[in-house]
Amino acid sequence: MARELLEIEPRELKFVFELKKQSSCSIQLGNKCDQCVAFKVKTTSPRKYCVRPNTGIIKPKERIDFTVTMQAQHMMPPDMQCKDKFLIQSTIVPSGTTEEDITSDMFSKDSGKYIEEKKLRVVLISSPSSPVLLPVNREMKQDPCNENQLQKYRVLHGVENIPPPLRVAENLNCLGTAKDMVSRPDENVVDKKVKNGEDMKPTKDDAELNLSKDSKELKSELSVDSRLKEAKLIITKLTEERSTSTQERDMLKYELEVLKRKSFVRRVQVGFPLLYVCLVALISMAVGYYFHP
């Protein structure tokens, strides 16, 4: 099938990246055919992103939006490059199909149906308050003599540590090789480079501190979980021992009662009855009186 089923706008997911903050973007899907189309959104990092809704039905010539939320990240990606990908699968379904009828088998290529697949890439955009842009001077390297571009970059991104236009060439030479740094006695340029390096250190230190804090929190949570598991095991053992002790106590009580009953029966059976003794006494008295009047 050469005809496209869905129209996707935009064709890439742009997130404003900030440390420890969520970021969201919306994608609009448009049904270009005269039949109902079911879609499903997949990603290479399902734990990192939340897609709502990730499946749905689009009626003919209608549009629907879905939102992708990137979870808060604790580390800055290198060079603000992200390798995550999204895949949007779509196929034609009969009219009257609901979202509850959507299954993973609908988007299986083994079923023989036409499955349209479109890939979207993730683009990260630095926020104006992001400290990552402070030590980066790529714009100046491309056009160091254009003062207007420097001023525009400074206004848009709030970069405070960009060297003055007259010192750009010297700063670039200082960043070139170690020999050039030794050969140039320009203290201002060296001081500015040191300042730029100092601006870079806090971001790296902050990231390391955040990592150490996160690792400590994870370790504490793991230790708490292990302690809770041990406490649960101890409680279960104690309850089992208590139940067994109660059963043994009940058995001992029962056996004690049985022994008491047996001893009482034996006591009753030992000796002669009182009536029997009285009769024997009367008979003996009568016999004695008869023989000895």
Side-chain angles (χ1 to χ4, degrees):
M1 185 180 293
R3 185 179 179 182
E4 290 185 349
L5 300 180
L6 294 181
E7 180 182 0
I8 303 174
E9 293 181 0
R11 297 303 299 266
E12 58 186 15
L13 290 91
K14 294 182 179 180
F15 296 97
V16 178
F17 187 87
E18 291 186 62
L19 287 174
K20 297 184 179 180
K21 288 186 179 180
Q22 291 184 349
S23 182
S24 300
C25 68
S26 296
I27 300 295
Q28 188 178 76
L29 303 178
N31 188 352
K32 298 176 68 176
C33 62
D34 299 328
Q35 294 175 302
C36 293
V37 174
F39 73 92
K40 184 175 183 180
V41 183
K42 296 181 179 180
T43 179
T44 56
S45 301
R47 295 183 179 179
K48 186 177 178 181
Y49 301 95
C50 178
V51 183
R52 291 290 181 273
N54 61 344
T55 59
I57 302 292
I58 309 176
K59 295 181 180 180
K61 306 301 180 182
E62 290 189 0
R63 293 180 176 271
I64 191 173
D65 295 340
F66 68 88
T67 303
V68 182
T69 302
M70 183 175 64
Q71 303 299 328
Q73 302 297 309
H74 299 281
M75 293 183 63
M76 190 73 67
D79 298 330
M80 292 294 288
Q81 297 295 323
C82 185
K83 297 181 180 180
D84 300 332
K85 303 290 182 182
F86 281 79
L87 178 67
I88 299 178
Q89 294 178 318
S90 58
T91 184
I92 295 174
V93 295
S95 60
T97 306
T98 60
E99 294 182 359
E100 289 77 9
D101 300 330
I102 297 176
T103 60
S104 58
D105 296 335
M106 283 188 179
F107 303 95
S108 177
K109 295 181 180 180
D110 298 334
S111 61
K113 298 165 85 177
Y114 173 70
I115 309 297
E116 184 179 82
E117 294 182 347
K118 292 187 178 181
K119 295 180 180 180
L120 303 180
R121 68 188 188 95
V122 177
V123 177
L124 301 180
I125 302 172
S126 299
S127 63
S129 60
S130 177
V132 180
L133 292 176
L134 292 176
V136 177
N137 295 322
R138 292 182 179 178
E139 296 291 335
M140 293 184 297
K141 289 181 181 180
Q142 294 177 0
D143 192 5
C145 296
N146 193 345
E147 184 177 357
N148 293 327
Q149 289 185 1
L150 292 176
Q151 295 295 334
K152 185 177 179 181
Y153 189 84
R154 185 182 290 114
V155 171
L156 290 175
H157 299 278
V159 180
E160 297 179 356
N161 63 338
I162 298 177
L166 297 175
R167 294 285 183 179
V168 172
E170 296 177 1
N171 192 19
L172 291 173
N173 291 328
C174 290
L175 293 172
T177 58
K179 292 181 180 180
D180 294 333
M181 290 173 61
V182 174
S183 62
R184 284 185 178 275
D186 193 347
E187 296 179 355
N188 293 327
V189 177
V190 174
D191 292 337
K192 288 177 181 178
K193 185 182 176 184
V194 171
K195 288 181 181 179
N196 291 335
E198 291 177 354
D199 291 335
M200 290 178 65
K201 288 180 181 178
T203 59
K204 188 181 291 184
D205 295 337
D206 292 338
E208 291 178 355
L209 288 173
N210 292 329
L211 286 173
S212 63
K213 289 180 180 179
D214 294 337
S215 63
K216 289 180 180 178
E217 291 177 357
L218 288 173
K219 288 181 180 178
S220 63
E221 290 177 359
L222 290 173
S223 63
V224 170
D225 292 337
S226 62
R227 290 176 182 175
L228 287 173
K229 289 180 180 179
E230 291 177 357
K232 288 180 180 179
L233 290 173
I234 293 170
I235 290 169
T236 53
K237 288 181 180 179
L238 290 174
T239 52
E240 290 176 357
E241 291 177 356
R242 183 179 179 182
S243 62
T244 53
S245 63
T246 52
Q247 289 177 359
E248 290 177 354
R249 186 178 62 186
D250 295 336
M251 290 294 293
L252 289 173
K253 285 183 178 179
Y254 178 73
E255 291 177 356
L256 184 61
E257 289 178 358
V258 171
L259 290 173
K260 285 181 179 179
R261 289 177 183 177
K262 289 181 179 180
S263 64
F264 180 75
V265 170
R266 288 178 181 176
R267 285 178 185 176
V268 170
Q269 290 178 357
V270 171
F272 297 98
L274 181 62
L275 182 61
Y276 180 75
V277 172
C278 293
L279 288 173
V280 170
L282 288 173
I283 292 168
S284 62
M285 289 174 65
V287 172
Y289 181 78
Y290 178 75
F291 285 105
H292 300 283

